[in-house]
Amino acid sequence: MVIWVKELSGKLTVGRIRIWIKDYIPVKRIDFSSVCDKDYVFVSKDDRTIDNEIQIGKILVYEELFNVFFPRILQEINYNYDYYFLKNALNKAKNESVDTIITGSSYGLFAINGKELSGAVNLSLPSQDLYYAYAGIKDVCLVNRNIKNIVLCCSYYYFFCDLSKSKSDDELSRISKVYYPMFYDMHNAMYLLPKINLLFVSEIFDFERITDLYSLAEYERTYFNEDRPRYGFAIKLWNDKSKRWAQLTKEEKSEAGKNRALTHNKVGRYWKTLSDNQEIFMQLVNFCLDNNINLIILVTPISKYYRVASLELFKDVFYNNLNNADGIIHLIDLYADESFSDDDYNDMDHLSENGANKVTSILNEAIKQINN
């Protein structure tokens, strides 16, 4: 089987079709004398001569197929957005020009403007725990030997978190959709819901490759963009969901902050998870020590409305873990930094773009000092 292309200037070329077709199938400029019944012939809808010239082979109109395929590809990328985001971030981080990995939970995703940090890639994602953050670090460092800095973004309760032990199917689906397809590792999960793939199946078209190409273009727009505004990802623990954080009264912010903190306080009983994460953290510390990598722990700012209800236990345990680590750890603790105002937050414990720019500037200066 051969894929033939009847080129039309400005509309259809062999190169344009080549990226859609699997590598083992030849794609050629049309030779009318060589077309067989089993072959496919790509034409443009604007080519008015096709009926007279092509008497054999299966005719495919490029624009018609594109109109069918492209929406499905966009569906796939949007539905599995975090998977493609992390896939592209990992690939970018493996480039030798990158010397800094930023990783951790959603706090890192909201707190760091990666484009303002030279040579850095942000691998942070919502609900990413220490286990999967470390998995991403190892995946990158196995290829990129030029990594000098690892920035782990978190809050005090981080050592009590294990995504794979979540009782929420929504949370477990993050493993199904992102981490298991990426690392083939369920960690402690007893079961996973199947990952839904929205792509067509074909023996001819390479939908995975074309999806990767389009997802890369989406990745370059950054996680938050005009089609994915940051405010759209606020955790709205307030009654009027039409309001943004900045529009809430102090009373509404106080109630939302308390409810958010109480949700996190529940993980304070997971002492087995704490023990497991202490071991993972020591592995990370030793990994950085063995590979001459600076380990920077960044505790991101949290609004005062959240802080008043958070367990003091988390801070005590957090600092004990860092103090007991047998290695060098650089700590940037902005948890209660009063230089961050209400305008710097997107919700109770995640930063707005303005807040992210502040943290990014602080981190940038810290990395410069550490590396000098």
Side-chain angles (χ1 to χ4, degrees):
M1 177 178 60
V2 176
I3 303 295
W4 300 98
V5 182
K6 188 174 187 299
E7 294 187 314
L8 184 64
S9 179
K11 296 286 185 179
L12 186 60
T13 64
V14 169
R16 182 170 291 182
I17 297 301
R18 174 70 273 177
I19 63 173
W20 286 85
I21 306 301
K22 294 187 175 180
D23 288 337
Y24 66 87
I25 301 175
V27 179
K28 300 179 180 181
R29 183 179 291 108
I30 196 163
D31 176 356
F32 295 105
S33 64
S34 301
V35 179
C36 301
D37 284 334
K38 63 182 180 179
D39 294 342
Y40 291 86
V41 180
F42 270 91
V43 300
S44 170
K45 67 179 180 61
D46 296 323
D47 192 334
R48 303 301 181 184
T49 65
I50 57 175
D51 291 337
N52 297 328
E53 295 179 341
I54 303 172
Q55 304 298 325
I56 197 169
K58 305 175 184 69
I59 296 177
L60 300 175
V61 180
Y62 170 70
E63 290 86 355
E64 292 178 359
L65 283 178
F66 185 85
N67 288 338
V68 172
F69 294 162
F70 190 61
R72 183 61 68 91
I73 288 169
L74 291 183
Q75 258 188 308
E76 164 67 15
I77 293 172
N78 288 329
Y79 182 76
N80 293 303
Y81 190 89
D82 285 357
Y83 167 77
Y84 289 103
F85 179 86
L86 184 58
K87 183 177 183 178
N88 284 299
L90 288 169
N91 288 337
K92 183 177 181 180
K94 292 172 184 176
N95 190 300
E96 292 183 352
S97 64
V98 173
D99 62 12
T100 300
I101 296 173
I102 300 163
T103 190
S105 68
S106 58
Y107 293 126
L109 187 63
F110 278 82
I112 303 300
N113 183 347
K115 289 193 172 182
E116 299 299 322
L117 280 175
S118 177
V121 173
N122 196 347
L123 308 179
S124 305
L125 279 178
S127 298
Q128 186 180 89
D129 60 13
L130 181 60
Y131 183 83
Y132 286 117
Y134 186 35
I137 289 168
K138 290 185 290 185
D139 184 67
V140 170
C141 292
L142 187 66
V143 177
N144 185 357
R145 302 294 183 178
N146 291 330
I147 297 298
K148 297 178 182 177
N149 312 294
I150 291 172
V151 183
L152 180 64
C153 303
C154 59
S155 195
Y156 292 148
Y157 68 89
Y158 194 54
F159 289 111
F160 286 90
C161 297
D162 182 341
L163 180 61
S164 66
K165 288 184 176 179
S166 175
K167 295 179 175 61
S168 164
D169 284 347
D170 285 342
E171 288 294 280
L172 282 176
S173 71
R174 298 184 189 278
I175 300 179
S176 302
K177 295 169 70 173
V178 181
Y179 300 111
Y180 187 77
M182 196 71 64
F183 304 123
Y184 301 103
D185 189 340
M186 294 171 58
H187 194 198
N188 293 315
M190 299 298 293
Y191 72 94
L192 290 177
L193 299 174
K195 178 180 183 291
I196 298 175
N197 187 329
L198 299 177
L199 295 177
F200 294 111
V201 176
S202 173
E203 294 182 354
I204 299 172
F205 296 100
D206 194 335
F207 290 114
E208 289 189 10
R209 174 167 59 196
I210 202 70
T211 302
D212 285 344
L213 288 172
Y214 279 106
S215 74
L216 177 58
E218 184 67 19
Y219 170 78
E220 294 297 339
R221 300 176 65 201
T222 70
Y223 194 90
F224 303 116
N225 54 60
E226 60 185 18
D227 295 318
R228 291 171 56 85
R230 183 184 292 255
Y231 64 78
F233 293 86
I235 299 173
K236 296 187 174 182
L237 298 183
W238 50 86
N239 293 329
D240 187 349
K241 308 302 182 188
S242 67
K243 287 185 178 181
R244 300 184 191 178
W245 174 258
Q247 298 171 319
L248 300 181
T249 65
K250 287 186 177 181
E251 290 74 19
E252 289 173 316
K253 289 178 179 178
S254 180
E255 185 66 19
K258 177 183 176 181
N259 290 337
R260 177 67 167 163
L262 292 177
T263 299
H264 288 154
N265 288 349
K266 294 177 182 178
V267 304
R269 65 183 184 271
Y270 298 144
W271 294 99
K272 176 62 169 61
T273 294
L274 171 63
S275 178
D276 291 344
N277 278 329
Q278 287 171 331
E279 183 176 341
I280 296 169
F281 185 65
M282 283 309 308
Q283 292 174 13
L284 173 59
V285 172
N286 290 331
F287 178 87
C288 291
L289 197 62
D290 292 343
N291 291 279
N292 197 29
I293 296 173
N294 298 312
L295 178 58
I296 303 166
I297 307 298
L298 173 58
V299 181
T300 57
I302 303 294
S303 77
K304 60 187 177 183
Y305 308 100
Y306 174 107
R307 297 198 307 264
V308 295
S310 184
L311 289 177
E312 189 67 25
L313 163 74
F314 292 145
K315 182 176 181 179
D316 294 338
V317 169
F318 180 85
Y319 270 87
N320 283 337
N321 284 339
L322 268 59
N323 291 332
N324 292 332
D326 188 15
I328 299 174
I329 299 172
H330 304 274
L331 175 64
I332 305 172
D333 190 346
L334 304 176
Y335 182 82
D337 193 318
E338 295 297 341
S339 67
F340 290 84
S341 65
D342 281 7
D343 292 339
D344 293 322
Y345 292 93
N346 195 53
D347 56 33
M348 301 74 59
D349 55 334
H350 296 101
L351 293 173
S352 65
E353 184 174 359
N354 190 57
N357 288 335
K358 287 184 179 180
V359 173
T360 303
S361 179
I362 293 170
L363 178 60
N364 208 7
E365 288 302 314
I367 290 175
K368 288 179 182 178
Q369 292 180 17
I370 291 169
N371 285 279
N372 286 337

